[in-house]
Amino acid sequence: MTKMSEIRDKSEAELTELVNTSRETIRAERFKDKFSRKASIITGAKREIARALTVLRARRRNPDAK
């Protein structure tokens, strides 16, 4: 899991890629066998998505601030 300070330092393209890979991780984990799923992986990926989208939306709302 990445920290919020690391996410703030990434570019918009990197953040978009992080969101896409995290969504793919969730999708892959959900389709695994019931006994081989790991809830912590899904939870961590959801948090990364939320953090990345928060930073993306803040940047798009206020392009002057970083």
Side-chain angles (χ1 to χ4, degrees):
M1 185 179 334
T2 52
K3 294 182 179 180
M4 192 65 172
S5 59
E6 294 172 4
I7 290 177
R8 283 190 189 114
D9 294 336
K10 293 185 179 198
S11 68
E12 283 194 32
E14 291 173 329
L15 289 173
T16 306
E17 183 64 30
L18 177 67
V19 169
N20 291 335
T21 56
S22 295
R23 285 181 175 162
E24 191 61 39
T25 301
I26 291 172
R27 192 172 298 117
E29 197 66 26
R30 282 190 177 151
F31 285 110
K32 283 186 179 179
D33 183 32
K34 181 179 179 180
F35 299 108
S36 63
R37 279 187 217 157
K38 300 224 186 295
S40 61
I41 293 174
I42 294 173
T43 305
K46 284 182 177 182
R47 284 185 181 154
E48 282 187 355
I49 291 170
R51 288 175 178 161
L53 289 176
T54 299
V55 171
L56 277 172
R57 287 189 180 122
R59 286 184 187 173
R60 289 177 182 159
R61 268 192 153 168
N62 192 1
D64 298 334
K66 185 172 183 183

